[in-house]
Amino acid sequence: MSGRKIMVHATWAIGKVIGTKMQKTAKVRVTRLVLDPNLLKYYNKRKTYFVHDALEQCTVGDIVLIKALSVTRSKHVKHELSEIVYKVGRVVDPLTGKSVAGTEFVEPLSDLVLEENISLSDKLKELNISAASSAADSPSVQTPTS
Amino acid sequence: MPMKGRYPIRRTLEYLQKGDIIFKKKVKIMTVNYNTHGELGEGARKFVFFNIPQIQYKNPWVQIMMFKNMTPSPFLKFYLDDGEQVLVDVEGKDCKQISQHVKKILGKSDEVLHAEAQAKMQASHPANFGPKKYCLRECICEVAGQVPCPGTKPLPKEMTGKYRAKMAQSQD
């Protein structure tokens, strides 16, 4: 009996994809902060939604934005995928537009001047030379950047 | 015995009710991306630690999600009802600055809050007595300092109807 009008609490939600084994459907876990009445502390309360994903473009671990459908698709599917916010493994930093892995950029930023890498053998040669001379000569050339 | 945890004041009702960011109706989701280390992200961390509980308390229907160590710089992202997204860069800012900025862009202003409070007060006029659904009190006997309800405590003899009627009759 598809075509029923639904009243869902949330028209929009953000969640993490936890399963994609169904055809054109993703299982999304949405966490909301709920106040514990005695501790007065907020904890994540999770709820899973089945989300219609026409192009099967979600992988497990993506963070997605889901939107409530105006008519429910089936008994359980009441939402559809609106967009993938952070794709797992290919997160793009919205401020710079560059790809990012954790707290580091994948490619170093071009406006930073990094000094060329001195090879290990060159460093050893420098050490040998200055071992005989006075210790005032500091063999290390490396200066900390930024 | 003091409360447990660091800064347990965050877990008091008084602190939660002091939150002053009330989002406009179209804000549905708030996402905070922050990092656990780094000097520049200190403001974001403080914002999450101190202000997020207040915001969630005042906006129970906004979904708030936190993400740690996903990007090099911290930011906030808001998802509005009409599909619009608002990105707020938070790097290097203090937690007070962040909350003031958020209040300015997406919070209800003080005039709107005043107007709403007034509208609510009009619905509950203290001078009206009636059913609980429409008025604050049902009878003046509920007010402290007034004559208590004869149902709970009998009236003094001089106030009862039959005594007064007898007096009036004996005078005529």
Side-chain angles (χ1 to χ4, degrees):
Chain A
M1 222 175 77
S2 62
R4 277 171 307 188
K5 263 201 115 46
I6 20 123
M7 286 298 292
V8 189
H9 249 311
T11 33
W12 295 89
I14 278 206
K16 185 172 177 175
V17 174
I18 47 176
T20 52
K21 297 235 172 93
M22 299 175 279
Q23 290 168 354
K24 295 200 177 169
T25 315
K27 206 192 305 185
V28 173
R29 175 181 287 159
V30 168
T31 59
R32 294 195 166 91
L33 290 173
V34 172
L35 185 67
D36 180 280
N38 299 314
L39 294 180
L40 287 184
K41 194 170 170 178
Y42 278 99
Y43 290 99
N44 281 323
K45 184 170 176 178
R46 30 159 98 159
K47 191 166 177 176
T48 31
Y49 291 102
F50 290 121
V51 170
H52 176 65
D53 167 20
L55 306 164
E56 291 250 33
Q57 51 184 319
C58 296
T59 29
V60 178
D62 292 348
I63 309 291
V64 292
L65 178 69
I66 62 177
K67 184 178 173 161
L69 287 167
S70 50
V71 257
T72 173
R73 265 186 84 87
S74 73
K75 184 170 149 199
H76 295 286
V77 176
K78 305 177 287 259
H79 300 266
E80 67 169 348
L81 171 74
S82 170
E83 68 164 312
I84 300 180
V85 180
Y86 304 116
K87 184 113 189 99
V88 65
R90 287 177 189 287
V91 179
V92 172
D93 179 19
L95 293 165
T96 53
K98 301 214 188 326
S99 50
V100 137
T103 48
E104 308 267 321
F105 285 102
V106 169
E107 302 121 12
L109 300 168
S110 55
D111 53 1
L112 262 185
V113 176
L114 296 169
E115 55 178 70
E116 26 187 272
N117 296 322
I118 309 176
S119 71
L120 196 56
S121 47
D122 290 336
K123 282 193 203 159
L124 282 171
K125 273 190 216 158
E126 285 176 36
L127 280 171
N128 277 335
I129 292 165
S130 54
S133 61
S134 64
D137 285 326
S138 167
S140 161
V141 193
Q142 292 280 14
T143 51
T145 48
S146 89
Chain B
M1 190 199 71
M3 283 175 82
K4 292 196 187 276
R6 38 182 192 136
Y7 294 98
I9 190 174
R10 301 175 294 142
R11 297 198 285 117
T12 47
L13 267 182
E14 201 186 315
Y15 177 85
L16 292 174
Q17 281 158 358
K18 273 228 168 73
D20 55 350
I21 302 184
I22 300 186
F23 285 130
K24 295 179 185 164
K25 212 163 138 194
K26 53 184 180 169
V27 178
K28 297 288 172 189
I29 305 173
M30 171 171 162
T31 304
V32 186
N33 271 276
Y34 66 106
N35 294 326
T36 43
H37 296 87
E39 267 288 329
L40 296 164
E42 185 64 36
R45 263 172 274 142
K46 288 251 172 328
F47 178 73
V48 167
F49 191 71
F50 287 110
N51 295 325
I52 292 278
Q54 289 179 318
I55 298 178
Q56 182 76 94
Y57 188 78
K58 290 284 175 171
N59 304 281
W61 296 113
V62 171
Q63 182 193 358
I64 302 183
M65 252 188 126
M66 252 76 78
F67 296 107
K68 286 194 211 180
N69 298 325
M70 280 185 86
T71 66
S73 57
F75 59 91
L76 269 59
K77 201 150 186 202
F78 297 88
Y79 297 84
L80 308 185
D81 202 14
D82 48 358
E84 198 186 327
Q85 296 173 13
V86 181
L87 178 64
V88 180
D89 184 16
V90 146
E91 184 157 32
K93 289 198 190 152
D94 188 36
C95 72
K96 276 234 161 53
Q97 292 172 340
I98 303 171
S99 53
Q100 275 165 4
H101 186 68
V102 166
K103 184 169 180 191
K104 195 159 93 166
I105 51 173
L106 289 167
K108 288 191 183 163
S109 60
D110 284 333
E111 302 103 45
V112 174
L113 287 174
H114 263 300
E116 283 182 2
Q118 291 280 355
K120 257 176 87 169
M121 272 194 345
Q122 271 173 2
S124 57
H125 199 283
N128 297 336
F129 291 87
K132 279 275 182 233
K133 188 176 164 194
Y134 303 106
C135 312
L136 292 175
R137 299 165 293 203
E138 287 195 323
C139 178
I140 198 158
C141 64
E142 292 178 32
V143 179
Q146 297 294 330
V147 174
C149 189
T152 51
K153 183 176 188 301
L155 288 174
K157 202 155 83 129
E158 295 81 29
M159 283 186 182
T160 54
K162 63 185 186 181
Y163 180 84
R164 280 187 174 165
K166 199 168 87 159
M167 287 288 113
Q169 203 188 41
S170 67
Q171 271 189 352
D172 297 337

